[in-house]
Amino acid sequence: MPVHVHPPLRGQKALVTGASSGIGAGIAQAFGAAGAAVGVNYRSHPDEAERIVEAIRSTGGEAVALKADVSNEDEVRAMFRAFGTTFGRVDILVANSGIQQDAAFAGMTLDQWRRVIDVNLTGQFLCAREAVRRFLAQGRDPSVSRAAGKIICMSSVHEVIPWAGHVNYAASKGGVMLMMKSLAQEVAEMGIRVNGIAPGAIRTPINREAWETPEAERKLLDLIPYGRVGEPEDIAKAAVWLASDDSDYVVGTTLFVDGGMTLYPGFRDNG
Ligand code: NAD
């Protein structure tokens, strides 16, 4: 009998937020290569989003750039409407947009606190809510997926590792973790799978100062048992799997993709 190997996301429509750079850009391109039509959300750099769209199209994929601030309810709704107009339905959401606004706690402004919670946590709430509404309204299409929809929440190892100087960021990711699990518990019976990815240190613009000089990279590697900084592709491969039917029984889980960062490497020599 001939073996047919289909691209794992063939026929699916995927919206990836914060997809004009870093991890989101990597996921958008991997989704395109895996056969999905991709919405490349961006907030402020249309040229960078178009570059990702072109990269996907140049390999035969379908993609469109969509502008929206994920912390703005009206803009999120408009983005999903535009996505629906272009692709007809939505099968996958990757809620990936995120920011850091670092400050020592005593000096952290309310604006720094709010901005990070607004984008990293409320932004995921707004996008996930819109996705769930659409999954329920459009119904299941067994020809594309066993699930009625999939959501991947981009978290961080800081959903479990406390992070001095980044209290707003760690609080947002801890919030993402329990939002993801509570939502997964609520919508699993409707056939919707919600999971999270917790990246360790990945080479992207968000943490440039942690890897751009050899000294900084050496210090960072002390925290990574596997001995290398991660690349966006490391996360993108995990996202393709979590979005595909290959992970159909995976529900409400955080997948850590961190080179062992959560293994308490400070204890390697007995603490
Ligand atoms: P990045 O800065 O390249 O990506 C963040 C993206 O979010 C950017 O494209 C940015 O334009 C977008 N964004 C910011 N505010 C937005 C808004 N209001 N609306 C829409 N989009 C907005 O950095 P990255 O490392 O690729 O980060 C992606 C995600 O991965 C973030 O959620 C981040 O917290 C998480 N993460 C990154 C690392 C890492 O080491 N790089 C580790 C753990 C988690």
Side-chain angles (χ1 to χ4, degrees):
M1 211 168 72
V3 178
H4 299 286
V5 180
H6 295 307
L9 303 180
R10 195 178 61 144
Q12 303 206 47
K13 321 291 183 195
L15 177 56
V16 183
T17 69
S20 62
S21 65
I23 291 171
I27 292 174
Q29 290 177 90
F31 276 17
V38 187
V40 175
N41 160 253
Y42 69 97
R43 192 198 40 171
S44 48
H45 294 101
D47 41 327
E48 290 178 19
E50 282 304 334
R51 195 170 50 79
I52 303 304
V53 165
E54 279 315 315
I56 294 170
R57 288 184 183 154
S58 71
T59 55
E62 273 184 272
V64 66
L66 297 164
K67 180 176 164 65
D69 175 344
V70 295
S71 68
N72 181 303
E73 186 173 27
D74 291 339
E75 291 186 27
V76 168
R77 297 180 78 161
M79 171 173 67
F80 273 83
R81 272 199 302 279
F83 184 90
T85 304
T86 306
F87 293 131
R89 55 183 284 125
V90 58
D91 302 293
I92 301 161
L93 165 70
V94 183
N96 165 77
S97 292
I99 56 169
Q100 286 182 214
Q101 300 251 316
D102 309 330
F105 190 72
M108 186 176 285
T109 64
L110 180 57
D111 191 56
Q112 286 173 318
W113 170 266
R114 279 201 178 126
R115 196 64 205 134
V116 169
I117 298 294
D118 279 358
V119 175
N120 296 13
L121 184 56
T122 308
Q124 292 207 13
F125 158 69
L126 291 171
C127 292
R129 187 183 63 175
E130 211 51 35
V132 166
R133 287 175 175 168
R134 279 163 190 266
F135 295 158
L136 295 178
Q138 73 198 8
R140 227 182 272 241
D141 180 353
S143 73
V144 297
S145 177
R146 293 179 72 176
K150 280 98 39 170
I151 296 174
I152 298 172
C153 297
M154 197 55 61
S155 184
S156 163
V157 290
H158 297 295
E159 73 170 44
V160 293
I161 302 178
W163 204 14
H166 311 256
V167 167
N168 48 359
Y169 184 84
S172 75
K173 295 301 188 181
V176 162
M177 186 266 284
L178 268 178
M179 182 188 73
M180 178 279 286
K181 286 179 189 272
S182 302
L183 174 59
Q185 193 190 58
E186 184 168 329
V187 299
E189 67 187 18
M190 302 156 197
I192 299 169
R193 292 197 299 118
V194 187
N195 290 288
I197 296 178
I202 311 300
R203 205 183 300 276
T204 75
I206 210 174
N207 58 357
R208 184 179 299 282
E209 73 291 347
W211 50 261
E212 74 181 343
T213 66
E215 306 79 64
E217 182 160 348
R218 244 191 326 275
K219 199 159 156 253
L220 184 58
L221 289 176
D222 280 344
L223 300 174
I224 309 172
Y226 200 55
R228 70 171 173 88
V229 176
E231 305 295 338
E233 297 71 42
D234 291 308
I235 306 303
K237 287 173 190 164
V240 168
W241 181 72
L242 270 183
S244 77
D245 278 2
D246 289 340
S247 62
D248 189 56
Y249 209 52
V250 180
V251 175
T253 285
T254 300
L255 179 54
F256 286 82
V257 184
D258 68 352
M261 195 177 241
T262 37
L263 297 174
Y264 298 99
F267 283 79
R268 273 179 293 192
D269 54 6
N270 272 320

